[in-house]
Amino acid sequence: MYGMTKQTVTETIRICKNRNVLKEYLESREKEVVTIMMSLFDEEQIMRSYIKSERHDMARETAARMIKDGEMPLEKIARYVPALSMNELKEIESEIMQMA
């Protein structure tokens, strides 16, 4: 409901305490549990960002190879590499032309 936020963690702890799930532990260590959960959320967010970046880099490399081959127009490459916008493809094409 609240995403990966502190509000999510505190609401989950509240629900657990209300349902008598780890109630004593959560009452004595709530701050520590919140800190740990927020760290886990941060790590997951970092990992997602890294994976997204890697996929984007791979898409750029694929598009660059296709552009260098010169056998397909950018419009067709865009269909095979949908992660990149037409502007990005034009930018890659421009970079390749400058290097040639």
Side-chain angles (χ1 to χ4, degrees), residues 10 12-24 26-27 30:
T10 55
T12 302
I13 290 170
R14 185 192 64 73
I15 291 168
C16 288
K17 288 194 291 188
N18 287 346
R19 294 182 181 174
N20 218 13
V21 176
L22 298 170
K23 184 177 182 174
E24 290 177 27
L26 292 171
E27 286 176 345
E30 183 170 343

Side-chain angles (χ1 to χ4, degrees), residues 60-71:
R60 285 185 66 88
E61 289 172 17
T62 299
R65 283 194 307 273
M66 294 172 87
I67 291 168
K68 284 179 186 176
D69 285 348
E71 296 179 18

Side-chain angles (χ1 to χ4, degrees), residues 46-88:
I46 290 167
M47 184 57 79
R48 284 182 182 167
S49 177
Y50 173 76
I51 290 169
K52 184 177 178 180
S53 173
E54 285 296 306
R55 286 182 180 157
H56 189 264
D57 290 349
M58 288 174 57
R60 285 185 66 88
E61 289 172 17
T62 299
R65 283 194 307 273
M66 294 172 87
I67 291 168
K68 284 179 186 176
D69 285 348
E71 296 179 18
M72 272 188 224
L74 291 183
E75 291 76 18
K76 193 166 186 179
I77 294 172
R79 281 186 278 163
Y80 290 104
V81 189
L84 302 177
S85 68
M86 186 57 77
N87 286 338
E88 286 178 289

Side-chain angles (χ1 to χ4, degrees), residues 28-44:
S28 66
R29 296 178 182 243
E30 183 170 343
K31 187 175 180 180
E32 182 181 352
V33 171
V34 170
T35 301
I36 290 168
M37 291 304 298
M38 292 310 298
S39 293
L40 291 173
F41 285 172
D42 289 345
E43 287 176 18
E44 186 173 335

